[in-house]
Amino acid sequence: MSTSIGQISAWGNGLAFRLTKPMAKTAGVTDGTPVRVIVKPGRIVIEAETEPTLEQMLAAFDPKKHGGEAMAGGSVGVEAFAR
C-alpha cells in the first residue's frame, strides 16, 4: 500500500482526481477498469473491480497444486448410506 498526495481539479461541470502512472500501476488499473466509489463525509474511497475472469482463473489453475479431493475425510451423513 502506498499513500500519495493529489489534488481535486475542475473538469467540465464536475471535479476530477488524476491518477499518476505509478499510482495506476500499483493499483493494477488501466484505462477502462471498472471501479467502485464509496463516498462518506470527508472521505472518498475508490476500489478497483479487478476480480479475475473465469478464463484468468482457469489459466492459473495448476492440477498439481489444486488437484485432488476437496475433502480428505470419509463419507458422512447421507453420502455414507448412498453407497
Side-chain angles (χ1 to χ4, degrees), residues 11-73:
W11 188 21
N13 290 332
L15 299 173
F17 180 81
R18 188 175 70 89
L19 296 176
T20 63
K21 281 186 179 183
M23 290 171 150
K25 184 176 180 180
T26 299
V29 298
T30 60
D31 184 28
T33 299
V35 296
R36 175 185 301 119
V37 180
I38 302 165
V39 180
K40 297 179 180 180
R43 184 174 179 89
I44 300 170
V45 177
I46 302 170
E47 297 177 339
E49 295 287 326
T50 56
E51 291 193 27
T53 64
L54 176 59
E55 290 78 21
Q56 291 169 328
M57 288 188 287
L58 290 174
F61 180 79
D62 179 0
K64 292 179 185 173
K65 181 178 179 183
H66 302 108
E69 293 290 327
M71 295 175 60

Side-chain angles (χ1 to χ4, degrees), residues 69 71-83:
E69 293 290 327
M71 295 175 60
S75 298
V76 296
V78 176
E79 302 93 36
F81 297 107
R83 293 183 183 229

